[in-house]
Amino acid sequence: MKTLRPISYVRGVMRFATVLVSTLLLGVSVRSYCQPKPVADTGTLKFGLVVLHDSKSMFLSITNQGTAPVNYGGATGAFSVDYKMTTIVYKSPLEPDSAIVVNVTFSPQSITANHLHVDSVYFQFTGLPDVVVQLIGSDRIPILDTVSIDNT
């Protein structure tokens, strides 16, 4: 013969199970939910052909797509003489849904054998892997036309 449990006992067990499951789910979701996630709007800035000693500028943004703020530690890279970078917009710490906007300028100063000028910039954030953006531009020799005038 089966023994029936009183209703109050069953309700108590159900409440305990509900609280336990809720606590476990909340604990897991809070840990995965509150994370910063800085992401570049592109992995590569392609400048195309630029005449020797001329320049072309492009904007790049790094947005915190996460749910927690993150501290920006700066940008590093080889930064050859062909590339310059200026920070346009930045507020510390980088809050969720906010961005760092930089202006990158490519100005080839020499002709290379394959006409390519490749560099990378590494955006550093505290406790996270660097966000890396590759910079690619090509040099072009200026076209010089000569005009001759015939005096006849």
Side-chain angles (χ1 to χ4, degrees):
M1 192 168 201
K2 283 188 172 179
T3 307
L4 295 176
R5 303 271 183 190
I7 293 284
S8 61
Y9 174 80
V10 173
R11 285 185 183 153
V13 169
M14 292 300 289
R15 278 190 206 122
F16 175 76
T18 302
V19 168
L20 178 63
V21 169
S22 297
T23 303
L24 290 174
L25 289 176
L26 182 62
V28 169
S29 66
V30 166
R31 272 185 264 127
S32 62
Y33 181 73
C34 293
Q35 295 290 322
K37 185 180 179 186
V39 177
D41 59 357
T42 182
T44 305
L45 277 182
K46 296 179 181 178
F47 291 89
L49 288 171
V50 177
V51 174
L52 187 67
H53 301 296
D54 278 353
S55 64
K56 180 177 181 180
S57 293
M58 298 179 78
F59 290 101
L60 170 68
S61 64
I62 310 293
T63 303
N64 183 358
Q65 295 180 354
T67 55
V70 64
N71 289 319
Y72 174 54
T76 62
F79 292 134
S80 65
V81 297
D82 301 316
Y83 291 98
K84 302 283 186 252
M85 189 176 82
T86 306
T87 302
I88 305 297
V89 176
Y90 168 64
K91 182 182 172 194
S92 181
L94 188 62
E95 296 291 334
D97 297 322
S98 62
I100 298 168
V101 179
V102 296
N103 183 19
V104 181
T105 302
F106 170 58
S107 179
Q109 300 300 304
S110 63
I111 303 294
T112 62
N114 62 1
H115 299 285
L116 283 177
H117 299 258
V118 180
D119 211 333
S120 294
V121 59
Y122 299 84
F123 294 92
Q124 300 170 335
F125 296 91
T126 304
L128 297 173
D130 292 349
V131 174
V132 181
V133 177
Q134 189 175 37
L135 311 172
I136 300 175
S138 298
D139 61 60
R140 190 180 83 183
I141 300 171
I143 298 172
L144 301 173
D145 289 335
T146 57
V147 177
S148 66
I149 301 175
D150 187 7
N151 288 337
T152 55

